[in-house]
Amino acid sequence: MSHTFNIVAVSGSLQRPSRTLALVQAVLAELSGHLPLHARVIELGELAPHYGAVTRPADLPETVREAIQAVEQADLLIVASPVYRASYTGLFKHFFDFVHHEALFDLPVLLAATGGSERHALVIEHQLRPLFSFFQAQTLPLGIYAAESDFTDYQVSDSALQARIRLAVERALPLISHRQPLIASTDGAVAAPV
């Protein structure tokens, strides 16, 4: 592969330190060992004060619009949220409410979530997958769920979780590596390759 892939990761955690962010970073680290990539991590905890009360896209500040544009122009999207009340965070959903409904067609999306215990593991299948199916994104078959016990000092420490991250990336690579990355023009516009 001679091109660099644009990987955008969205961490739905609203606080730091964050196990959700640590999981995202572990997935990106594994991907970087297999693909030439440019990674961008969007931390919704940092953006939340700027879009939490906004109801119309026209009222979004530039920093949030730029983050949404990055999501819409990714070659691969990694999305992760902590589990609150058996679902992703409200501000995670609110952020994706501003993403254009046709922007993620066929985009590979790796789904991930963190929770206090294993009893929340189905959040990937029952909450995240339907959300990205609405966008007609290509949700990758293997999601990554991590419980609080899988971390030590906000770093992935469980060997089974590390193996699952490797397996999820391994299975995602054929889907990602066959994509044509978006090409940025000199004027900053982005277009599909010809």
Side-chain angles (χ1 to χ4, degrees), residues 108-166:
V109 179
L110 193 153
L111 307 172
T114 59
S117 70
E118 294 297 328
R119 71 183 186 157
H120 298 295
L122 286 175
V123 72
I124 291 173
E125 302 305 322
H126 293 275
Q127 300 294 322
L128 287 168
R129 198 170 304 281
L131 173 61
F132 290 95
S133 292
F134 163 79
F135 286 108
Q136 298 180 49
Q138 185 179 9
T139 57
L140 300 178
L142 186 60
I144 303 169
Y145 178 80
E148 188 173 335
S149 60
D150 295 327
F151 298 87
T152 302
D153 296 326
Y154 293 93
Q155 296 298 315
V156 172
S157 59
D158 182 74
S159 60
L161 176 58
Q162 292 165 343
R164 188 161 181 85
I165 290 168
R166 282 191 300 275

Side-chain angles (χ1 to χ4, degrees), residues 3-6 73 75 176-184 191-193:
H3 38 262
T4 300
F5 290 86
N6 180 28
Q73 295 176 353
D75 295 315
I176 301 164
S177 61
H178 290 97
R179 288 183 60 81
Q180 290 281 53
L182 295 175
I183 300 171

Side-chain angles (χ1 to χ4, degrees), residues 12 44 79-81 88-96 128 131-132:
L44 297 186
V79 297
S81 177
Y88 38 72
T89 63
L91 286 168
F92 179 90
K93 173 63 167 68
H94 190 50
F95 178 81
F96 282 98
L128 287 168
L131 173 61
F132 290 95

